[in-house]
C-alpha cells in the first residue's frame, strides 16, 4: 500500500478497485495474497466502526473476502497474532468456511501451522456469536467440527431481546416512516436513540413493510432506510457505522425467519409468506437499493438451520409443495428475480471479456449510480427538501472504474452453491451454476473453486452436477486430457476408464510437473525426499529432443495467461486432480488402477521398448551403476518380480512421447503417481494403504518357514531395492515399486494427513517374520525425520514401530524361523538415530539428546520385548542403572516416568 496515494481523495477507492478486479491473480501468482490481506484488513478495521466511507468499507471487505477464500495455508486473523480479531463479522464467518475447505481439501501442511489455527479459532469465537448448522458441520473436517459443535445457539436469546424491544422499535419506525412524520424527528432519533434499539431498526422497518406497506411514506423510507443501512456517501450521515449495518442485516434476517414461523402457526400459507418475504426484500434491495445484496445473501445462507432461509435465496415456486422436498419450477427467489439478472447481464456487457489483458483500448468508466446503486452513490433523487442542513448538500461521488454491485456477488455465489449442496439441494445448486455460468467467468479464482468443491464434497455429488461444475471453466483453455473429455461425454461414463487413460495422465505430470532428470550419477534415490533428481542410464532413446522433455522448469507463462491457480506447473497438476475427482467411479477403482500400473510399470514399458527398438543394451557393460544382487533362490524371488506387463496400456508411442528411456520413465511415473495421490482427498489415501498392504501380504515367501534366514534376508533386500537402481537392469519388484510409491506419496503429503499412514501397518499386522518387520520399517522409516517437529505424531509413529517389533520379538512371540537379536541390529541403530534426530530437531550431532518423554515411551515398550532385544535397546530408557543418558540427563532421575 502507498500512503501518499491512499491519503488523496478517492485514492483508497481506486487502489482497492484495481486490487480487487485486476491484480488479485498477480498477488496469487507471487504468493503475496496473505500479506495483501493483512494490509487490507487494516483498512477494514479502521472503517468498520467509522460513520461514513461506506463505499470504501464495502469494497475493502469484498476484497478481503476474495483474498481469504483464495488462501491455501492457515493464517493468523491478526498479523501480530495477539488480541481480538480485526475482522468484521462477515469476514469471521468467511474465514471459518475457508479454513474448513482448506483443511479438508489440502490438509495442514506443517505442524507449525497448528498454533495459527488454534489462535484463529479462539480469536474468531471470542468476537463472533454465529453457530453453524448441523448440515454444514457434517462436512467440516473433524478439527473444526469438534471446536464448533459445542457452541450455544443464541438465536433464541436474540429473538427474546427483539420481542422485548419490539414495541419501542415499531413505535420509532412508525414515527419515522409514517406519511405524517415530522422531519425534525429524524434528527431527534439520530441524536437520542439507544444502541439496543438501533440494532433492530432494519427489523422494525421490515416488520412495518411486512404488515402495512401501503401506510409507509416511501420518501421517508428512502431517507431513513439509507440512514440505517449506512451506505450513503453523505459524510454527515455518520450515526450508523458499517459494522452496525451488517449487524442490522443479520438481526433482520433472524426476525424475518422467526416471523414466518409465527405466521405459519396461525395457519397462513408458507407459499404466500415466502412470496411476500421475497417481495419485501426486493423492495429494500432493488426498488430503492437500500441494502447490500451480497451481505443479505450471506446472512440468509448462514441461517440454513432454518428450513425457509435457503428457499428465499433460491426459492422455486411449487404448487405441490412438500415440506421435505425442494420446489421444481417458477421464479420468485432473490437470485431468480429479473432485477438481479438484468444487473448481472449489464455487468457482463460493460465489462467485456474476462481476459481483460487482451483489450488494448481505453476502459469505459461506468456510471456511479448504475454501477453501485443508490445506497453507495447517493444520487440527488434520494434527497428530500427538508429543513435540515445535512440534507441540503449534494454529495459528488468519485467515479467507478471497475467496481459494480454485481461484481460484489462473485465471492458469494460459490458459497451459495456450497450451502445448497450441504442441504442436499443439488438440483438447485445446478440451477444456480447454470444461471450464473457467464457471470462466474469473471471470478478471479474460478479454477480453485471448481477444484475445491469437487474435493470438499467428493463422493456426494451427482454426475449431472459435476458436469455443471466443470462447465464453470473455459474447457478449451484448461489442459484436460483428450480421453477425459471423451469419457465424460460418453454414453456410459460410470465405467472406470482404461489403464491407458491413467498412464497418460501420469505421463503428463512427468512432462510438466516432475523436475527433469539430472544425469549426475550421484543423484539421490526415489526415497530421498530432499532430492527429486533421478539416476539416468546411458541408453537415451532417439526420440528425446536435444533439450530434453518438455516440463515446467523450461519456463513459466505470464500470470495473466494462467490467472488461477498460478504457475503452469500448478495448473497441470491441479487439472489432473480435477480429472480424477470428476470421474463417476469410486476411489477404490481409481486407486486400484493407478497401483496396478505402478506395480508392473517397468516390465510393461520395457516390453514396449523391445518391440520398438530391439533388446535393451546390457547394463553390465560400461555402466556406472551396480546391478541388483541375485539374492535368494529363483523360486523365492520369481513371485516378487514385477515381470508381468499391464494389459490395457497402449504403449506403442508411450515411451517415445516422454523423451526418456523406459527405465527412466518408469521411475518418474512412480514419482508422478505419488505426487498425484497426495493431492487427492483422504478417501484415496485409505484405499492406497489397503492396496499397498495387500500387495505386500501377497508375497508368500515372507512367511515361508522353509527358507533359511539368509535366503529370506537376501530376498527382502532384493525386493526392497530402490527402483531408481533396479530399473537399470529390469530387476524391479512389486514390493520395491509400491514402497517407492509410498515414499513419493509421503514426501508430498501435508503433515496433518501423515497420521493416516499408520493404516498400512494396521492392515499388515500381526507381523510374524523378520522379513515383514523389515518391510514395515522400510515403509514407515522415512516418516520419522519429517515428524521431528510434530512431537505427538512422532511419538505415535515410534510407538507403532516398537509395537510391531514386539509382534516379532515379544516375550510370547514364536516366529517360524528362530532369529538372533543381532540380526536386527540395523533396525536398533535406526531407532537410536530417529530418537536423537527428533530430540535435536534436525540432523544428529555429537551433543544430540533424546527427549525424556520419548525415552519413557521406549522404556515402556521394552518391557514387552525378549530379554536379548531389551539389552540392545537398554540405553533408550530412563533407568539410571542402564541408560547411557543418566549422566547427561539429570532431569530423568527426577521424572522417571
Amino acid at each position: 500500500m502507498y500512503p501518499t496515494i491512499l491519503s488523496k481523495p478517492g485514492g483508497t477507492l481506486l487502489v482497492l478497485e484495481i486490487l480487487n478486479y485486476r491484480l488479485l491473480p498477480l498477488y496469487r501468482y507471487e504468493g503475496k495474497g496473505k500479506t495483501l490481506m493483512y494490509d487490507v484488513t487494516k483498512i477494514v478495521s479502521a472503517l468498520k466502526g467509522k460513520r461514513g466511507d461506506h463505499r470504501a468499507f464495502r469494497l475493502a471487505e469484498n476484497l478481503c473476502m476474495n483474498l481469504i477464500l483464495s488462501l491455501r495455508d492457515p493464517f493468523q486473523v491478526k498479523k501480530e497474532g495477539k488480541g481480538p480479531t480485526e475482522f468484521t463479522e462477515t469476514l469471521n464467518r468467511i474465514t471459518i468456511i475457508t479454513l474448513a475447505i482448506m483443511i479438508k481439501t489440502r490438509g495442514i501442511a506443517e505442524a507449525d501451522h497448528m498454533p495459527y489455527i488454534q489462535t484463529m479459532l479462539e480469536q474468531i469465537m471470542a468476537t463472533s456469536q454465529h453457530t453453524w448448522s448441523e448440515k454444514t458441520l457434517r462436512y467440516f473436517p473433524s478439527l473444526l467440527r469438534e471446536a464448533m459443535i459445542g457452541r450455544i445457539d443464541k438465536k433464541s436469546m436474540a429473538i427474546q431481546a427483539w420481542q422485548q424491544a419490539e414495541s419501542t422499535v415499531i413505535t420509532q419506525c412508525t414515527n419515522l416512516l409514517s406519511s405524517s412524520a415530522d422531519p425534525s424527528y429524524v434528527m431527534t432519533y439520530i441524536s437520542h436513540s439507544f444502541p439496543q434499539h438501533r440494532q433492530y431498526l432494519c427489523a422494525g422497518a421490515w416488520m412495518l413493510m411486512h404488515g402495512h406497506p401501503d401506510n409507509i411514506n416511501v420518501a421517508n423510507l428512502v431517507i431513513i432506510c439509507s440512514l440505517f443501512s449506512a451506505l450513503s456517501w453523505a459524510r454527515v450521515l455518520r450515526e450508523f457505522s458499517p459494522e452496525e449495518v451488517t449487524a442490522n442485516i443479520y438481526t433482520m434476517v433472524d426476525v424475518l425467519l422467526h416471523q414466518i414461523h409465527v405466521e405459519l402457526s396461525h395457519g397462513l400459507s408458507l407459499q404466500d409468506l415466502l412470496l411476500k418475504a421475497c417481495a419485501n426484500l426486493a423492495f429494500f434491495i432493488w426498488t430503492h437499493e437500500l441494502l447490500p445484496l451480497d451481505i443479505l445473501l450471506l446472512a440468509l445462507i448462514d441461517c440454513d438451520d432454518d428450513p425457509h432461509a435457503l428457499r428465499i435465496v433460491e426459492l422455486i415456486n411449487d404448487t405441490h409443495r412438500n415440506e421435505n422436498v425442494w420446489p421444481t419450477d417458477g421464479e420468485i427467489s432473490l437470485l431468480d428475480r429479473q432485477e438481479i439478472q438484468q444487473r448481472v447481464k449489464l455487468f457482463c456487457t460493460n465489462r467485456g471479456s474476462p481476459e481483460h489483458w487482451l483489450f488494448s483500448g481505453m476502459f469505459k468508466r461506468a456510471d456511479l449510480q448504475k454501477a453501485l446503486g443508490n445506497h453507495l452513490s447517493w444520487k440527488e433523487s434520494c434527497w428530500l427538501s427538508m429543513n435540515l442542513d445535512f440534507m441540503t448538500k449534494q454529495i459528488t461521488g468519485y467515479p467507478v472504474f471497475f467496481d459494480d454491485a454485481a461484481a460484489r456477488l462473485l465471492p458469494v455465489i460459490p458459497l451459495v452453491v456450497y450451502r445448497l449442496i450441504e442441504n442436499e439441494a443439488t438440483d438447485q445448486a445446478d440451477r444456480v451454476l447454470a444461471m450464473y455460468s457467464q457471470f462466474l467467468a469473471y471470478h478471479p479464482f474460478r479454477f480453485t473453486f471448481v477444484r475445491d468443491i469437487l474435493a470438499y464434497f467428493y463422493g456426494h455429488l451427482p454426475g449431472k452436477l459435476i458436469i455443471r461444475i466443470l462447465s464453470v471453466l473455459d474447457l478449451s483453455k484448461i489442459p484436460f486430457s483428450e480421453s477425459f473429455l471423451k469419457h465424460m461425454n460418453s454414453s456410459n461414463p460410470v465405467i472406470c476408464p482404461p489403464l491407458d487413460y491413467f498412464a497418460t495422465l501420469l505421463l503428463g505430470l512427468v512432462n510438466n510437473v516432475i523436475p527433469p532428470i539430472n544425469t549426475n550419477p550421484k543423484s539421490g534415490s526415489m526415497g530421498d525426499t530432499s532430492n527429486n533428481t533421478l539416476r539416468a542410464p546411458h541408453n537415451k532413446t532417439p526420440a528425446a529432443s536435444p533439450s530434453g522433455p518438455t516440463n515446467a522448469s523450461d519456463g513459466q507463462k505470464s500470470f495473466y495467461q494462467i490467472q488461477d491457480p498460478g504457475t503452469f506447473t500448478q495448473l497441470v497438476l491441479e487439472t489432473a486432480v480435477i480429472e480424477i475427482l470428476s470421474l463417476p467411479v469410486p476411489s477404490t477403482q481409481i486407486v486400484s488402477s493407478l497401483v496396478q500400473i505402478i506395480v508392473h510399470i517397468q516390465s510393461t514399458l520395457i516390453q514396449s521398448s523391445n518391440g520398438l527398438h530391439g533388446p535393451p543394451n546390457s547394463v553390465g557393460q560400461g555402466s556406472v551403476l551396480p546391478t541388483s544382487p541375485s539374492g535368494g533362490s529363483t523360486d523365492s524371488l520369481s513371485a516378487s518380480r514385477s515381470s508381468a506387463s499391464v494389459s490395457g496400456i497402449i504403449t506403442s508411442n508411450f515411451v517415445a512421447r516422454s523423451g526418456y528411456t523406459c527405465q527412466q520413465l518408469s521411475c518418474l511415473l512412480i514419482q508422478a503417481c505419488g505426487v498425484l495421490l497426495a493431492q487427492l482427498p483422504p478417501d484415496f489415501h485409505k484405499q492406497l494403504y489397503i492396496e499397498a498392504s495387500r500387495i505386500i501380504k501377497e508375497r508368500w515367501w515372507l512367511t515361508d518357514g522353509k527358507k533359511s534366514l539368509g535366503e529370506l534376508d537376501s530376498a527382502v533386500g532384493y525386493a526392497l531395492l530402490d527402483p531408481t537402481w533396479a530399473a537399470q537392469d529390469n530387476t524391479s519388484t512389486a514390493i520395491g515399486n509400491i514402497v517407492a510409491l509410498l515414499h513419493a506419496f509421503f514426501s508430498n503429503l501435508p503433515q496433518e494427513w501423515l497420521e493416516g499412514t499408520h493404516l498400512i501397518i494396521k492392515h499388515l499386522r500381526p507381523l510374524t517374520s523378520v522379513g515383514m518387520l523389515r518391510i514395515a520399517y522400510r515403509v514407515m522409516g522415512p516418516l520419522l525425520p519429517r515428524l521431528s517437529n510434530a512431537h505427538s505424531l512422532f511419538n505415535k509413529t515410534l510407538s507403532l514401530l516398537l509395537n510391531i517389533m514386539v509382534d516379532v520379538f515379544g516375550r510370547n512371540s514364536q516366529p517360524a524361523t528362530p532369529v538372533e537379536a543381532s540380526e536386527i541390529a540395523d533396525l536398533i541403530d535406526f531407532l537410536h538415530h530417529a530418537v536423537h534426530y527428533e530430540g535435536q530437531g534436525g540432523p544428529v550431532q555429537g551433543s544430540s539428546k533424546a527427549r525424556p518423554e520419548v525415552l519413557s515411551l521406549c522404556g515402556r515398550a521394552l518391557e514387552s520385548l525378549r530379554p536379548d532385544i531389551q539389552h540392545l535397546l537398554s540405553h533408550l530408557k530412563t533407568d539410571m542403572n542402564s541408560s547411557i543418558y543418566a549422566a547427561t540427563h539429570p532431569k530423568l532421575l527426577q521424572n522417571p516416568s
Side-chain angles (χ1 to χ4, degrees), residues 429-440:
D430 183 285
R431 191 167 177 275
V432 170
L433 289 172
M435 193 185 312
Y436 291 93
S437 59
Q438 181 184 4
F439 177 62
L440 288 174

Side-chain angles (χ1 to χ4, degrees), residues 84-158:
T85 170
E86 295 177 339
F87 284 179
T88 62
E89 173 64 18
T90 300
L91 294 181
N92 281 334
R93 299 184 184 191
I94 293 292
T95 300
I96 293 296
I97 290 297
T98 299
L99 196 59
I101 296 172
M102 182 190 305
I103 294 175
K104 188 172 181 179
T105 64
R106 302 177 189 278
I108 302 172
E110 301 294 342
D112 295 342
H113 291 165
M114 285 301 298
Y116 289 179
I117 295 175
Q118 297 297 338
T119 302
M120 180 192 305
L121 293 177
E122 292 172 2
Q123 291 176 323
I124 290 176
M125 290 191 290
T127 57
S128 175
Q129 301 300 317
H130 182 64
T131 54
W132 303 95
S133 71
E134 291 184 5
K135 293 180 179 179
T136 298
L137 289 175
R138 177 178 56 185
Y139 288 97
F140 271 19
S142 58
L143 174 66
L144 279 187
R145 187 168 55 249
E146 293 169 2
M148 297 291 175
I149 202 168
R151 302 202 79 191
I152 300 175
D153 189 347
K154 297 184 179 180
K155 287 181 182 177
S156 59
M157 299 171 60

Side-chain angles (χ1 to χ4, degrees), residues 477-582:
K477 297 181 179 179
I478 306 298
F480 285 119
S481 60
E482 183 179 352
S483 54
F484 169 73
L485 297 176
K486 289 181 178 178
H487 181 75
M488 296 302 293
N489 293 324
S490 67
S491 58
N492 191 14
V494 295
I495 299 176
C496 189
L499 294 181
D500 186 59
Y501 162 75
F502 294 103
T504 302
L505 195 66
L506 295 180
L507 179 63
L509 299 183
V510 168
N511 287 337
N512 296 285
V513 176
I514 304 300
I517 266 190
N518 186 335
T519 56
N520 182 355
K522 294 183 179 181
S523 57
S525 68
M526 287 287 295
D528 184 0
T529 60
S530 64
N531 192 337
N532 286 327
T533 57
L534 301 173
R535 301 177 189 274
H538 301 289
N539 52 337
K540 185 83 173 180
T541 60
S545 63
S547 59
T550 303
N551 58 39
S553 65
D554 292 333
Q556 300 290 351
K557 295 184 179 181
S558 301
F559 84 94
Y560 52 80
Q561 293 176 298
I562 306 293
Q563 291 195 71
D564 181 40
T567 65
F568 184 71
T569 301
Q570 291 171 317
L571 178 65
V572 173
L573 179 58
E574 298 285 84
T575 299
V577 171
I578 288 178
E579 287 196 26
I580 294 294
L581 296 175
S582 301

Side-chain angles (χ1 to χ4, degrees), residues 286-305:
W286 300 117
T287 305
H288 291 287
E289 298 176 329
L290 305 175
L291 297 178
L293 177 60
D294 54 339
I295 304 301
L296 179 60
L297 287 175
L298 289 171
L300 284 166
I301 66 173
D302 281 346
C303 290
D304 65 316
D305 51 347

Side-chain angles (χ1 to χ4, degrees), residues 436-454:
Y436 291 93
S437 59
Q438 181 184 4
F439 177 62
L440 288 174
Y442 295 89
H443 195 290
F445 307 113
R446 58 173 169 160
F447 187 95
T448 297
F449 160 65
V450 170
R451 185 260 188 217
D452 286 349
I453 197 171
L454 291 174

